[in-house]
């Protein structure tokens, strides 16, 4: 597996595990210039992004990745990731399908999320 | 509507219209460094990408955009676009849902596709 591909996989596993365990701690993965578009609502910066995610009206959530594709996104080591998957909310029986994109940028030995776009897939 | 957002919309309308009319002409939208991951199969460069798209086993196709989200992706004017939508192939009655990401880079007064990731969404 190529480097950007395994990086993308590790990142997503970490991200969704953190999201599902305690999403108030996701702020470390964003920087001031980071942007999130969540169901068409746009926010910027770690504080606003975490507020947005914590304000979503559910307490229990579990993400399951169906597909994960990654491509190098710059000569500097940026990685573009597209995930499709399912999420199960609170006590609901039916999973909802979603698509999400992360643009990851290397920073001090790790990566932060520069761009994050999330959409539920209604059928 | 912000510039990157209207650019993304115009680009996607043009792209899918060209795809549905004559996808052999999509090469102009890619450069040598452009990458496509189509259902986990990776190709690079306009010639290979067009070969891949033309080799898909259908003759008639119609894309319909359901959601389109865009974010600025660099200080140079790059734009990141995530599309979710439906496509109808040949004489099939049931549309298939898909997700697609484009990373667009400004070049000589226009934009080219640097990164392109496509996935069908199976439910």
């Amino acid at each position: 597996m190529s480097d950007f591909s395994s990086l993308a996989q590790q990142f997503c596993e970490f991200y969704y595990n953190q999201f599902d365990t305690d999403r108030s701690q996701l702020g470390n993965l964003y920087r001031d210039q980071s942007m999130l578009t969540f169901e068409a609502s746009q926010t910027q910066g770690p504080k606003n992004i975490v507020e947005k995610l914590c304000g979503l009206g559910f307490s229990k959530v579990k993400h399951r990745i169906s597909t994960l594709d990654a491509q190098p996104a710059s000569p500097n080591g940026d990685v573009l990731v597209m995930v499709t998957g399912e999420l199960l909310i609170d006590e609901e029986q039916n999973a909802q399908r979603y698509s999400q994109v992360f643009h990851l940028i290397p920073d001090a030995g790790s990566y932060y999320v520069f761009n994050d776009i999330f959409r539920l897939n209604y059928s």
Side-chain angles (χ1 to χ4, degrees), chain A:
Chain A
M1 193 185 288
S2 52
D3 281 346
F4 60 88
S5 185
S6 60
L7 174 277
Q9 191 118 25
Q10 284 166 34
F11 170 82
C12 290
E13 281 167 18
F14 179 82
Y15 180 91
Y16 290 126
N17 189 48
Q18 183 65 69
F19 197 116
D20 297 350
T21 312
D22 180 4
R23 61 192 189 269
S24 74
Q25 300 304 310
L26 286 171
N28 294 333
L29 298 175
Y30 298 91
R31 298 287 179 275
D32 288 350
Q33 64 274 30
S34 300
M35 282 163 292
L36 165 68
T37 303
F38 187 94
E39 291 286 282
S41 154
Q42 299 194 311
T43 44
Q44 184 159 22
K47 189 169 163 291
N48 296 330
I49 290 172
V50 167
E51 265 181 25
K52 173 72 187 173
L53 297 178
C54 289
L56 299 172
F58 50 78
S59 53
K60 265 173 51 187
V61 59
K62 175 78 189 147
H63 291 76
R64 199 162 45 210
I65 296 172
S66 304
T67 68
L68 190 160
D69 296 299
Q71 290 185 177
S74 85
N76 308 325
D78 297 17
V79 178
L80 185 66
V81 192
M82 185 173 82
V83 176
T84 69
E86 295 182 329
L87 52 84
L88 210 53
I89 282 170
D90 291 332
E91 308 307 327
E92 283 179 20
Q93 299 297 310
N94 297 321
Q96 299 184 65
R97 293 199 56 83
Y98 72 92
S99 303
Q100 189 159 16
V101 178
F102 298 105
H103 180 169
L104 306 178
I105 293 188
D107 182 38
S110 185
Y111 284 79
Y112 73 90
V113 183
F114 176 45
N115 277 302
D116 182 350
I117 304 178
F118 176 94
R119 276 280 185 180
L120 290 173
N121 302 148
Y122 297 103
S123 48

